[in-house]
Amino acid sequence: MSLHFTSERPADQQRADDQPADEGVLERGFTLGEIPGILWTPASASATEPAPLILLGHPPLGLDKMYPRLAARARAAASDGFASATIELPGSGDRPRWPALEEARAAFRRVMQAGEPVGDEIVDALVLPLVDRAVPEWQAALDALLALPEIGGPVGYSGGVISIGVRLAAVDPRITAAVLFAGSFVPRSVVEEARQVTIPLHVLLQWDDEGNDRQAALDLFDAFGSKEKSLNANMGGHTGVPEFAGEGAAGFLARHLK
């Protein structure tokens, strides 16, 4: 798949929602085949000084809804000299509907609303097909992005869905460090895959996350085969990650990608 830029927002222009772009950060929309994505690059990135790259993972809520948080993370990364990129996940945003995934999400919501345990069958149906489709797309995006003269290695992954990050770290040697957000259910088979992950890891866990199985997240962390892995657990719900936790994650990436 080839990458085509569809929009470019210089630092002195504003978004339609009147949010100014940060000086020194270039935001470009792109398509990879039929997959939309966004690339942010710092002003310092050039063919003679290519920027390291961070892949920004996110939940399957659509890039438009996730944009404010993704852009904030990208701007922070750019201030550290990193380029950042993200792509729309299968079945999300303007991408074609995925009936099987929508059925799995509906089954998950019914169980959660009834206050019943979320069984392995529902977790597998909800997560594994998404991982199977999304990871090859992330790899295709990485192929295209690393072909740009202003983008270079090393490459890191930061965000969720955590099972996507686990699979990507396990199968793609170009990923050299990862910050993983523990906030989604994890199939047992992904826990087994985690034993193959040996790169440095920094895992963020919200202790009171209402939609996450805390013990499963701890079991996943224990399963990682990495010699260097850290767990930053903080009190609070899913969206209550404290600012200092984000700063710690940024410091981790700066140590391993520069």
Side-chain angles (χ1 to χ4, degrees):
M1 290 187 286
S2 58
L3 185 149
H4 298 282
F5 287 111
T6 58
S7 65
E8 181 174 308
R9 184 174 296 114
D12 59 353
Q13 291 187 0
Q14 290 186 322
R15 286 172 46 85
D17 55 12
D18 295 327
Q19 294 181 5
D22 282 24
E23 184 177 356
V25 182
L26 177 64
E27 177 186 304
R28 286 174 285 177
F30 65 83
T31 57
L32 184 70
E34 297 181 352
I35 305 169
I38 308 173
L39 171 65
W40 294 268
T41 49
S44 59
S46 66
T48 56
E49 191 177 347
L53 177 64
I54 299 174
L55 302 179
L56 298 180
H58 55 90
L61 301 176
L63 284 183
D64 284 347
K65 185 171 183 178
M66 290 302 302
Y67 177 84
R69 278 184 277 177
L70 289 167
R73 289 162 59 191
R75 289 193 295 267
S79 68
D80 290 331
F82 296 113
S84 300
T86 192
I87 57 174
E88 188 74 87
L89 291 175
S92 297
D94 293 329
R95 295 190 63 179
R97 297 299 91 196
W98 187 355
L101 184 60
E102 292 179 353
E103 291 173 9
R105 289 172 177 167
F108 172 75
R109 287 194 295 269
R110 286 194 297 269
V111 169
M112 291 293 289
Q113 290 170 359
E116 299 172 355
V118 180
D120 290 346
E121 183 177 348
I122 291 179
V123 172
D124 288 354
L126 185 68
V127 178
L128 291 179
L130 181 63
V131 173
D132 290 342
R133 285 199 190 184
V135 168
E137 293 180 353
W138 274 112
Q139 291 182 289
L142 188 51
D143 292 340
L145 291 164
L146 288 177
L148 298 173
E150 69 272 27
I151 305 297
V155 180
Y157 179 89
S158 177
V161 172
I162 194 169
S163 294
I164 293 176
V166 171
R167 173 76 60 81
L168 195 57
V171 302
D172 199 314
R174 295 172 294 182
I175 308 296
T176 59
V179 173
L180 301 176
F181 296 4
S184 53
F185 284 87
V186 180
R188 293 183 187 274
S189 61
V190 172
V191 176
E192 291 305 311
E193 289 183 55
R195 304 186 193 283
Q196 305 170 32
V197 176
T198 58
I199 62 173
L201 295 174
H202 185 83
V203 179
L204 295 176
L205 171 64
Q206 286 300 103
W207 202 249
D208 305 305
D209 191 335
E210 57 281 1
N212 185 38
D213 185 333
R214 181 198 303 162
Q215 188 57 53
L218 296 174
D219 291 344
L220 177 65
F221 180 80
D222 189 52
F224 285 124
S226 305
K227 291 184 178 179
E228 180 184 343
K229 56 182 179 179
S230 58
L231 177 67
N232 187 333
N234 292 281
M235 304 303 292
H238 187 79
T239 60
V241 180
E243 184 176 347
F244 64 79
E247 294 171 353
F252 167 86
L253 291 171
R255 289 195 303 274
H256 290 285
L257 299 182
K258 282 192 173 182

